[in-house]
Amino acid sequence: MHPISSFPLKNLESKLRWILPADLYAAAWVKPGVESLTGVFEHLRALHRVLADYVPPDVSDQSFDPYCQPCCQVVENTLMFTDLAGFTSLMEANATRGKTGATELLNILNHYFATALEIISLSGGELLEFTGDAMLIRFSSQQNTPRSTAQAVRAGLRLQRAMEQFCCLETTEGTYSLGMRIGIHTGRYLTANIGTPMRMDYVLLGENVRQTKKAEGAGTVGRVCLTETAYQQVKEHFHFEPTTEAHHLVVDDFSEDQLGQYEIMLPRRHRSSHLVLMDRSMDGLVAAIAQAVEMIEPLCSYLPRHVLDLVVENVARRGIPADFADPTVLFVNLIGLSESAHPELSPEENEAIATLYCHAFALINAAVESRGGMLKKVTYHLSSSDTMILFGVPVAHANNAYRAAKAALAIREIIQELPLLNIGGQQIKVACKIGMAQ
């Protein structure tokens, strides 16, 4: 075996050990030739593509520095929130059949999300987050909000038409129907990267995010619902009927040719295209691998460590094998942070909100991971932010419920000790609600 001093990737080894599958890492270490290093590069290119598709475009398309946080900024575009109707009854019916029912449910969900994401992508939308069976999507058009709102409406109509294939799902337990509610709102909101370089998340803050969720709730299954603000942007281009004083339902009176299947627009350039192997010499391979590591490392922070391990080991298989666990679930509802942020506040005030959120997220994640749990994701709901935490997935323990309860108590103490925020001349005390189920 070669000495460490002659290993061509010795300067990258401490980083590669976390982002290479075990067999590829061993092959590169034992026989570090052109063939094994080429395999390392191809794996890293595929891994970058997977990670870049997982994180929001603001993260994957920019040279993000994880040491510079919370990176709070004000943006303006159109948001869409979608939610499934009928999913709970379908899930409960399949839950009685154990792994067989879970497999059937997984296949339905995979088909649904694959269909929806293809339509969203072709319509110019960008997925920001999954929220259970719901999605938060952004449409932007270089600050031309009427155009982005029109894109979102057409995308919503395409999604509703595609839902026809899910209206009569034949399952072992009977026939079930899935429908979709869609809400659209246009406005300014804040984004922030929060956490530590070890674990980060991308969050949306402000009232306009909540307005999007409210539009979905005020809508009707099978229809697209707009807030008054979004309606004013596109009222000359679509027909509407009012649903409440503040919301409007789009009338789908388009022919197939008029609506079309996609938007004519410039494609978003994917940073994976930067990873091209031009020089297959040893020096060229080492340089290409170093570039790939530099691009991948910041993105890894947005996945829980256990999930990252699963992704790394299964990149070549193009999918993670299904595993039906029995987890203990915590939901932590933070009150006072997301809803306090507003584009009209001073940059210093919004920065203070994002910074406190950053610190709270870092401490909560530490409390969870130190007890063997996994902080899945921060999402934005009607009242405030929800954080989903799992114990027993993908690593199970005999005392998951006990670990979760200890984490919940630690999180409550963390929130109680957060300092007061002085926003707009008012003091805001962050609070939380915690729910636990198994």
Side-chain angles (χ1 to χ4, degrees):
M1 182 177 290
H2 60 83
I4 182 63
S5 60
S6 65
F7 182 50
L9 299 175
K10 63 180 180 180
N11 294 330
L12 299 170
E13 187 279 329
S14 62
K15 298 179 179 180
L16 288 171
R17 67 177 70 171
W18 304 112
I19 56 177
L20 291 184
D23 55 353
L24 188 56
Y25 175 88
W29 178 262
V30 172
K31 194 175 180 180
V34 169
E35 182 179 354
S36 61
L37 265 61
T38 299
V40 169
F41 173 80
E42 294 298 340
H43 164 80
L44 294 178
R45 179 161 59 182
L47 178 61
H48 182 267
R49 187 176 298 114
V50 170
L51 296 178
D53 284 340
Y54 174 80
V55 302
D58 289 351
V59 176
S60 63
D61 288 352
Q62 299 176 14
S63 299
F64 174 65
D65 182 0
Y67 297 98
C68 180
Q69 306 146 18
C71 294
C72 181
Q73 61 178 333
V74 177
V75 295
E76 180 176 4
N77 40 49
T78 300
L79 295 175
M80 171 192 286
F81 196 92
T82 74
D83 198 14
L84 276 182
F87 177 72
T88 300
S89 58
L90 176 64
M91 180 178 63
E92 290 175 347
N94 280 275
T96 62
R97 298 170 51 228
K99 289 187 177 181
T100 301
T103 301
E104 187 170 342
L105 182 64
L106 178 64
N107 291 335
I108 293 172
L109 276 178
N110 281 339
H111 178 43
Y112 161 72
F113 280 122
T115 301
L117 290 175
E118 181 180 16
I119 293 171
I120 291 164
S121 178
L122 292 174
S123 300
E126 298 170 332
L127 178 68
L128 295 181
E129 65 178 44
F130 289 106
T131 311
D133 59 351
M135 294 180 288
L136 181 61
I137 303 136
R138 178 179 69 188
F139 293 82
S140 56
S141 185
Q142 297 179 342
Q143 304 302 317
N144 187 338
T145 50
R147 180 177 176 182
S148 66
T149 305
Q151 284 178 221
V153 172
R154 289 192 291 269
L157 295 177
R158 294 178 187 124
L159 285 169
Q160 293 293 18
R161 291 185 180 188
M163 289 304 295
E164 293 178 6
Q165 61 188 294
F166 300 96
C167 66
C168 293
L169 295 171
E170 299 293 338
T171 73
T172 308
E173 297 298 309
T175 302
Y176 290 86
S177 176
L178 291 180
M180 181 188 283
R181 286 188 299 270
I182 297 177
I184 294 174
H185 179 62
T186 297
R188 300 169 71 215
Y189 57 93
L190 289 93
T191 66
N193 292 282
I194 60 172
T196 69
M198 181 179 292
R199 180 65 210 281
M200 302 197 67
D201 207 350
Y202 177 90
V203 295
L204 277 60
L205 311 171
E207 173 65 16
N208 280 321
V209 185
R210 190 170 73 93
Q211 291 300 322
T212 310
K213 173 61 178 171
K214 287 183 67 176
E216 175 269 315
T220 304
V221 173
R223 304 292 296 276
V224 179
C225 183
L226 272 63
T227 63
E228 178 67 23
T229 304
Y231 165 75
Q232 291 296 331
Q233 298 279 348
V234 295
K235 62 182 180 180
E236 304 298 331
H237 305 287
F238 301 92
H239 294 139
F240 294 89
E241 60 184 67
T243 178
T244 66
E245 190 174 309
H247 296 93
H248 303 262
L249 293 175
V250 183
V251 175
D252 185 357
D253 54 2
F254 292 90
S255 67
E256 289 291 335
D257 289 340
Q258 288 174 327
L259 184 59
Q261 295 183 335
Y262 57 86
E263 298 292 315
I264 299 176
M265 57 189 300
L266 291 174
R268 181 170 68 89
R269 188 179 181 186
H270 205 300
R271 291 193 76 214
S272 293
S273 61
H274 296 181
L275 293 176
V276 179
L277 186 58
M278 304 296 293
D279 181 359
R280 293 184 178 271
S281 67
M282 287 295 289
D283 289 343
L285 282 164
V286 171
I289 290 171
Q291 181 193 18
V293 170
E294 182 180 0
M295 295 172 64
I296 287 170
E297 190 176 26
L299 305 184
C300 292
S301 303
Y302 289 83
L303 275 73
R305 170 59 64 182
H306 293 313
V307 174
L308 178 62
D309 292 342
L310 285 173
V311 172
V312 167
E313 290 292 339
N314 290 280
V315 163
R317 301 182 182 91
R318 304 180 67 85
I320 297 175
D323 183 18
F324 305 107
D326 186 20
T328 300
V329 183
L330 285 181
F331 269 100
V332 179
N333 182 230
L334 284 183
I335 304 167
L337 282 173
S338 298
E339 58 272 34
S340 298
H342 196 282
E344 303 305 321
L345 292 175
S346 70
E348 292 77 16
E349 289 176 315
N350 280 323
E351 193 77 14
I353 294 170
T355 298
L356 188 60
Y357 205 153
C358 184
H359 294 170
F361 178 87
L363 295 172
I364 291 172
N365 184 66
V368 170
E369 291 193 353
S370 65
R371 292 164 176 81
M374 179 178 73
L375 193 159
K376 178 68 171 63
K377 179 70 179 171
V378 176
T379 60
Y380 200 104
H381 281 202
L382 264 180
S383 58
S384 51
S385 296
D386 274 351
T387 302
M388 182 180 185
I389 297 167
L390 303 173
F391 285 81
V393 179
V395 178
H397 301 90
N399 58 345
N400 287 322
Y402 175 78
R403 291 168 180 264
K406 294 288 286 185
L409 293 174
I411 292 168
R412 184 182 65 175
E413 185 174 344
I414 288 169
I415 301 304
Q416 287 174 344
E417 293 180 356
L418 289 178
L420 294 173
L421 275 173
N422 194 334
I423 303 297
Q426 295 183 337
Q427 286 191 329
I428 298 173
K429 176 61 178 175
V430 180
C432 70
K433 296 179 181 178
I434 304 177
M436 175 176 165
Q438 187 172 24

